[in-house]
């Protein structure tokens, strides 16, 4: 798959907005300077693509127009509900011996809260997962593109490592956090793209009412010179079924 978006704009986009974003290292999805990997010299590559659909390399890519929050709030609280977004909330605490230096762990990417005036009546969690890639450093390809304004396909081809991203990053995060929300009876959403979800094991589906973990599976589709977060496929699952599927593999017989 080739680099498809740099600092929020498709590599074929030669507009003034795209040029300014690349020059300023600005991320339009978070409306601030990109900080991916390095604050002073960020790797501003948002996605890789083959054909007309991309795979996200950066979780911030999913923040396009706040869509994931609207979709999750609609499913969790109802279409007409008001909501607020609370980023990076730590939900677990490790008590110290003297209770004076308690440590908080288990940071959830986002909490969404159903609001009524100034109070929060209900809440749900959102975890966002992009993919790593395998192969050599991608910085040379990025620098060549920023210098020349044209993608060098010979050095810009990488393979997303969906399996490693699921097993080494997503699975440990879900094991730490989902049981807490399951105990509370609150919805837990996982945001991924269709390329990532398609590489995961098959999950037994569940109804929305009974689901403990809900996947928001977004296509990132090419539209002209841009890529757009499109209507998601919503998959409801039970946590035990996901846990079993993501373990992968069966032990051989003892003999």
């Amino acid at each position: 798959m080739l680099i498809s978006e740099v600092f929020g704009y498709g590599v074929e986009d030669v507009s003034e907005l795209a040029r300014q974003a690349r020059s300023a290292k600005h991320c339009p999805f978070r409306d601030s300077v990109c900080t991916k990997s390095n604050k002073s010299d960020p790797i501003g590559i948002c996605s890789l693509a083959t054909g007309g659909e991309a795979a996200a390399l950066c979780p911030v890519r999913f923040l396009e127009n706040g869509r994931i929050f609207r979709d999750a709030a609609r499913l969790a609280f109802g279409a007409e509900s008001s909501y607020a977004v609370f980023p990076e909330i730590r939900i677990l605490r490790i008590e110290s011996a003297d209770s004076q230096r308690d440590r908080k762990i288990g940071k959830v990417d986002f909490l969404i809260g159903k609001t009524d005036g100034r109070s929060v009546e209900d809440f749900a969690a959102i975890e966002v997962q992009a993919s790593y890639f395998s192969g050599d450093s991608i910085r040379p390809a990025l620098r060549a593109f920023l210098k020349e304004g044209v993608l060098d396909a010979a050095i810009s081809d990488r393979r997303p490592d969906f399996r490693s991203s699921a097993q080494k990053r997503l699975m440990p995060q879900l094991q730490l956090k989902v049981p807490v929300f399951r105990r509370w009876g609150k919805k837990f959403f996982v945001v991924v793209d269709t390329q990532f979800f398609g590489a995961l094991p098959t999950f037994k589906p569940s109804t929305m009412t009974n689901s403990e973990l809900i996947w928001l599976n977004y296509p990132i589709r090419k539209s002209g010179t841009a890529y757009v977060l499109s209507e998601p496929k919503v998959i409801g699952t039970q946590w035990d079924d996901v846990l079993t599927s993501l373990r992968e593999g069966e032990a051989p017989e003892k003999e």
Side-chain angles (χ1 to χ4, degrees):
M1 300 178 78
L2 295 176
I3 295 171
S4 50
E5 293 174 293
V6 173
F7 292 113
Y9 292 85
V11 293
E12 298 174 1
D13 192 337
V14 294
S15 67
E16 181 62 18
L17 280 176
R19 188 195 66 77
Q20 290 178 359
R22 292 163 190 159
S23 177
K25 301 177 182 178
H26 183 268
C27 172
F29 306 123
R30 61 187 300 172
D31 193 22
S32 65
V33 174
C34 175
T35 59
K36 183 176 174 60
S37 295
N38 189 302
K39 290 184 179 181
S40 60
D41 186 22
I43 302 178
I45 297 173
C46 315
S47 62
L48 303 174
T50 297
E53 197 162 285
L57 293 187
C58 178
V60 178
R61 175 63 187 84
F62 291 102
L63 301 186
E64 179 187 328
N65 296 324
R67 172 162 196 161
I68 64 172
F69 306 123
R70 293 194 300 274
D71 291 340
R74 171 176 52 83
L75 292 166
F77 313 133
E80 303 302 320
S81 298
S82 298
Y83 66 92
V85 179
F86 307 92
E88 299 187 337
I89 301 297
R90 297 187 185 274
I91 59 168
L92 298 174
R93 185 179 70 232
I94 297 177
E95 294 187 4
S96 61
D98 57 7
S99 299
Q100 298 299 313
R101 301 183 186 87
D102 292 351
R103 292 193 298 119
K104 292 183 178 180
I105 61 172
K107 182 170 64 177
V108 177
D109 288 338
F110 300 97
L111 288 183
I112 50 171
K114 180 181 179 182
T115 59
D116 179 18
R118 296 184 177 181
S119 62
V120 175
E121 298 181 329
D122 198 0
F123 62 93
I126 300 177
E127 193 76 8
V128 181
Q129 184 63 55
S131 179
Y132 307 127
F133 67 88
S134 59
D136 297 333
S137 171
I138 206 165
R139 281 193 182 277
L142 172 64
R143 288 169 179 158
F145 173 76
L146 293 176
K147 181 179 178 181
E148 303 296 335
V150 178
L151 196 68
D152 184 347
I155 61 172
S156 302
D157 187 13
R158 298 294 186 279
R159 181 179 66 84
D161 192 346
F162 299 122
R163 186 178 183 280
S164 177
S165 302
Q167 292 296 331
K168 294 181 180 180
R169 178 61 181 175
L170 179 60
M171 187 62 175
Q173 294 296 317
L174 296 183
Q175 286 179 307
L176 186 65
K177 302 168 193 176
V178 171
V180 177
F181 287 83
R182 183 190 193 189
R183 187 183 312 136
W184 292 339
K186 301 301 182 183
K187 298 296 186 186
F188 196 104
F189 295 91
V190 180
V191 172
V192 294
D193 60 63
T194 52
Q195 304 278 346
F196 190 107
F197 190 83
L200 295 175
T202 301
F203 304 129
K204 180 181 177 181
S206 176
T207 64
M208 287 297 104
T209 302
N210 292 328
S211 294
E212 297 169 320
L213 192 154
I214 301 171
W215 300 83
L216 297 181
N217 176 12
Y218 287 91
I220 305 176
R221 293 198 175 111
K222 190 174 184 182
S223 177
T225 61
Y227 287 82
V228 180
L229 206 65
S230 303
E231 186 72 21
K233 183 176 182 180
V234 181
I235 304 99
T237 55
Q238 294 289 317
W239 169 236
D240 287 341
D241 294 331
V242 172
L243 190 62
T244 299
S245 296
L246 284 178
R247 282 195 186 110
E248 290 191 321
E250 295 183 2
E253 293 297 322
K254 178 179 62 178
E255 288 74 13

